[in-house]
């Protein structure tokens, strides 16, 4: 009996699925109790089955088991002295996940929820995100369980100095280049850079990105993640004859990513009616006033509730997760992981949402993603949609190497084209591997192939 083409395909798909299942079980066993890391790994692994079926040499080289084990995982003690003179201790982390296409690159997160699982999920996703940007950057991530809330400037500085005193042994412009994430913005990067410079005794600008404009920072880096997310969603909408113009939008969070997603969406003609923090959310039917928002969050470092004092028509609600009950055309989760669960996703769908763009990392649970995809909602996954931040970080590294800054317009233009390109690459890969329109699968596959090829080319290392 001759084996038909379809049977050959079926056999190899099954073989590929078995391989993926086996490695996933090994990852769980090797990293017990790390549920966020397992979640990120599961999403990517499942997307890759058609790749292994078509190109079995990735299985032969056991690329999956290699790529899901970090090259290096560092934890360290961060002792510091608070304003009362009391010695405090936090835990620092850096995962150097993959360096096959460039130096490790990824942000630092300071938040009490930070642990090995959170850092590994973020670092693992960063490999594929960074690959998608088309720039020469590998995957890394770091942070600490330090809580910056309620700390004085002096305490933040002393913490950052202690953190860098240890981290500086492992980073460098061609080795590993950290940046910001939750709880780490321009102020913290400034303190970290100052301490690195002091210990090294030289001005290595490219060791950190997100620096202040006066000492090697790039114009547009502050705006990049939020703007990039909106540029990406605009591409998804365009393909369906839709746009931000005239749409109602909700954006969760009120940090760096949220603020600039709100600003760009409004510039494109949308009305952004709600945003949040971890305590609650505000609803402003007239559209959020971006100047007030920026002052409250960036200058006064206050809570989002302060907004309603200045805009009495706006309403404040406790419980940030209820933000998803507001009817909207476009939802941009820009706060944190797993902020949209199955129930919230169903609510968004029932209220007529047309598109989701993930500004945060892994903001939708696997069940929520299933809800969106099964209802054919346009869905821009984090790795693709929020890659604008790290993409402009790589542009900052390029400017640092050249010792020549670019204008806001130049960087913004490059960011726009990078986001457009990520969309096209992801859509093309999704179609080629049998999942047309599925950007989760498309982004994962496109990000994976470049890194996997580089791993094989560089041998078993
Ligand atoms: P910020 O620290 O500037 O802001 C974080 C925002 O999210 C705050 O409004 C914060 O509220 C809220 N938030 C944090 N944790 C929770 C929680 N557990 N529940 C509800 N709300 C929460 O961080 P960024 O804006 O930089 O980061 C936001 C997201 O975007 C993260 O997922 C990050 O990984 C991702 N990202 C960031 C990039 C960047 O360039 N900065 C690039 C790509 C992705 P509160 O003040 O109450 O804590
Ligand atoms: O999640 C991310 O991509 C970031 N926090 C930005 C990383 C970077 O190196 O700019």
């Amino acid at each position: 009996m001759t084996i038909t083409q379809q049977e050959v395909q079926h056999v190899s798909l099954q073989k590929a699925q078995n391989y993926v299942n086996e490695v996933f079980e090994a990852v769980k066993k090797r990293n017990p109790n790390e549920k966020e890391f397992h979640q990120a790994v599961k999403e990517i692994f499942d997307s890759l089955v058609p790749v292994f079926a078509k190109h079995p040499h990735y299985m032969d080289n056991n690329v999956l088991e290699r790529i899901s084990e970090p090259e290096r995982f560092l934890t360290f003690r961060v002792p510091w002295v608070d304003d009362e003179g009391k010695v405090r201790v936090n835990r620092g982390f850096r995962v150097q996940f993959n360096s096959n296409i460039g130096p490790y690159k990824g942000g630092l997160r300071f938040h009490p929820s930070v642990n090995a699982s959170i850092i590994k999920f973020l670092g693992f996703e960063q490999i594929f995100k960074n690959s998608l940007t088309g720039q020469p950057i590998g995957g890394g991530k770091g942070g600490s369980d330090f809580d910056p809330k309620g700390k004085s400037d002096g305490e933040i500085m002393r913490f950052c100095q202690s953190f860098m005193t240890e981290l500086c042994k492992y980073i460098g412009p061609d080795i590993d280049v950290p940046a910001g994430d939750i709880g780490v913005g321009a102020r913290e990067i400034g303190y970290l850079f100052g301490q690195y410079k002091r210990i090294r005794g030289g001005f290595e600008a490219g060791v950190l990105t997100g620096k202040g404009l006066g000492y090697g920072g790039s114009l547009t880096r502050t705006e990049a993640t939020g703007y990039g997310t909106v540029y990406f969603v605009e591409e998804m909408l365009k393909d369906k004859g839709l746009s931000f113009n005239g749409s109602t939008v909700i954006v969760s969070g009120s940090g760096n990513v949220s603020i600039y997603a709100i600003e760009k969406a409004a510039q494109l003609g949308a009305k952004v009616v709600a945003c949040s923090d971890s305590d609650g959310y505000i609803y402003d039917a007239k559209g959020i006033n971006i100047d007030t928002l920026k002052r409250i969050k960036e200058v006064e470092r206050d809570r989002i509730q302060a907004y309603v004092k200045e805009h009495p028509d706006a309403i404040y609600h406790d419980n940030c997760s209820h933000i998803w009950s507001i009817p909207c055309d476009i939802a941009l989760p820009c706060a944190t992981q797993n902020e949209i669960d199955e129930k919230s996703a169903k609510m968004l769908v029932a209220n007529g949402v047309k598109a989701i763009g993930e500004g945060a990392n892994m903001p939708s649970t696997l069940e929520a993603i299933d809800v969106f995809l099964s209802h054919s909602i346009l869905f821009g996954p984090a790795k693709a949609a929020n890659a604008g931040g790290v993409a402009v970080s790589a542009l900052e590294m390029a400017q640092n190497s050249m010792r020549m800054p670019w204008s806001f317009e130049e960087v913004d233009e490059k960011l726009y084209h990078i986001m457009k390109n990520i969309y096209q690459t992801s859509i093309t890969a999704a179609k080629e591997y049998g999942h047309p329109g599925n950007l989760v699968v498309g982004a994962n596959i496109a990000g994976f192939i470049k890194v996997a090829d580089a791993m094989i080319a560089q041998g078993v290392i």
Side-chain angles (χ1 to χ4, degrees):
M1 195 177 76
T2 58
I3 301 174
T4 64
Q5 199 58 32
Q6 219 176 1
E7 277 165 332
V8 170
Q9 170 80 347
H10 178 73
V11 167
S12 53
L13 265 179
Q14 190 56 53
K15 198 174 159 201
Q17 185 68 61
N18 292 346
Y19 171 64
V20 162
N21 294 348
E22 254 170 53
V23 181
F24 183 58
E25 287 310 312
V27 168
K28 283 201 291 188
K29 204 168 158 201
R30 191 176 270 155
N31 305 274
N33 308 317
E34 296 188 353
K35 61 180 180 7
E36 293 85 2
F37 181 49
H38 299 170
Q39 181 182 339
V41 168
K42 171 103 183 111
E43 186 215 278
I44 291 171
F45 276 20
D46 283 348
S47 300
L48 298 177
V49 171
V51 179
F52 298 132
K54 203 166 170 182
H55 307 291
H57 70 287
Y58 293 125
M59 288 192 277
D60 302 339
N61 281 280
N62 201 2
V63 169
L64 214 48
E65 194 166 350
R66 288 158 63 191
I67 207 168
S68 52
E69 178 65 15
E71 289 176 20
R72 198 169 293 107
F73 183 73
L74 308 159
T75 69
F76 49 93
R77 179 170 66 203
V78 189
W80 56 282
V81 180
D82 70 17
D83 285 346
E84 274 70 56
K86 192 171 156 225
V87 176
R88 311 270 290 260
V89 176
N90 284 95
R91 181 171 286 178
F93 297 92
R94 186 73 184 165
V95 66
Q96 299 184 327
F97 228 118
N98 190 288
S99 63
N100 288 99
I101 64 167
Y104 310 107
K105 179 85 196 88
L108 297 172
R109 177 177 291 191
F110 292 169
H111 192 273
S113 63
V114 165
N115 57 31
S117 174
I118 300 280
I119 295 299
K120 271 148 80 176
F121 111 67
L122 289 163
F124 188 61
E125 298 234 301
Q126 201 82 40
I127 303 171
F128 306 91
K129 182 197 302 193
N130 293 3
S131 164
L132 272 176
T133 66
Q135 292 157 302
I137 40 178
K141 200 83 190 189
S144 175
D145 57 2
F146 173 75
D147 185 358
K149 277 201 200 91
K151 302 290 190 297
S152 70
D153 244 21
E155 289 176 323
I156 300 274
M157 183 184 74
R158 291 193 295 279
F159 175 80
C160 287
Q161 290 178 338
S162 179
F163 185 87
M164 183 52 88
T165 301
E166 183 62 23
L167 186 69
C168 75
K169 298 169 190 166
Y170 310 102
I171 63 174
D174 294 314
I175 301 170
D176 183 356
V177 183
D181 194 81
I182 291 177
V184 178
R187 174 181 58 169
E188 291 73 22
I189 294 292
Y191 295 146
L192 292 163
F193 184 72
Q195 185 71 354
Y196 180 87
K197 190 175 73 60
R198 187 181 180 198
I199 295 171
R200 275 283 193 278
F203 196 97
E204 297 176 12
V207 70
L208 288 167
T209 59
K211 298 180 293 295
L213 296 177
Y215 56 96
S218 174
L219 286 159
T220 323
R221 177 61 188 90
T222 305
E223 295 82 358
T225 312
Y227 278 22
T229 301
V230 171
Y231 292 151
F232 188 89
V233 173
E234 186 77 344
E235 291 305 302
M236 304 196 306
L237 293 168
K238 224 189 270 173
D239 258 3
K240 299 281 176 222
L242 303 167
S243 86
F244 269 97
N245 195 17
S247 66
T248 299
V249 177
I250 54 181
V251 177
S252 64
S254 49
N256 171 261
V257 180
S258 315
I259 290 171
Y260 294 94
I262 294 171
E263 180 169 276
K264 182 52 74 180
Q267 283 172 8
L268 295 181
K271 188 155 76 164
V272 185
V273 296
C275 70
S276 59
D277 60 23
S278 58
D279 295 328
Y281 69 92
I282 54 160
Y283 175 76
D284 188 341
K286 290 187 188 148
I288 287 166
N289 182 306
I290 191 79
D291 294 333
T292 310
L293 181 69
K294 279 188 184 173
R295 180 168 38 74
I296 291 171
K297 298 307 296 184
E298 294 182 337
V299 182
E300 295 159 7
R301 296 182 184 271
D302 204 346
R303 308 301 297 158
I304 197 63
Q305 186 167 13
Y307 181 93
V308 298
K309 282 187 222 138
E310 295 177 49
H311 298 274
D313 291 346
I315 308 165
Y316 175 77
H317 299 268
D318 286 329
N319 195 332
C320 57
S321 66
H322 289 176
I323 194 172
W324 309 119
S325 66
I326 303 169
C328 65
D329 301 307
I330 301 162
L332 305 177
C334 295
T336 195
Q337 62 276 353
N338 292 328
E339 53 171 316
I340 301 186
D341 60 9
E342 186 177 9
K343 193 171 151 221
S344 300
K346 283 183 173 160
M347 207 145 51
L348 282 161
V349 172
N351 286 333
V353 75
K354 297 184 186 73
I356 312 286
E358 295 191 320
N361 284 308
M362 206 168 78
S364 311
T365 63
L366 293 174
E367 296 76 22
I369 296 175
D370 281 345
V371 171
F372 294 134
L373 295 182
S374 64
H375 287 85
S376 301
I377 308 297
L378 293 171
F379 183 76
K383 270 176 228 89
N386 74 32
V390 76
V392 172
S393 277
L395 298 178
E396 182 171 330
M397 291 162 71
Q399 293 168 80
N400 292 154
S401 296
M402 290 190 304
R403 299 176 194 275
M404 195 126 77
W406 289 321
S407 69
F408 185 94
E409 290 71 24
E410 271 177 291
V411 182
D412 191 32
E413 173 85 12
K414 287 188 202 309
L415 168 66
Y416 174 72
H417 286 291
I418 290 168
M419 298 315 295
K420 233 176 131 146
N421 197 38
I422 293 175
Y423 176 72
Q424 281 310 331
T425 308
S426 304
I427 275 286
T428 306
K431 192 164 171 215
E432 188 184 336
Y433 286 90
H435 294 271
N438 184 331
L439 289 165
V440 176
V441 168
N444 287 341
I445 290 178
F448 171 79
I449 286 177
K450 185 177 167 191
V451 179
D453 287 346
M455 287 174 79
I456 291 172
Q458 291 169 33
V460 178
I461 50 167

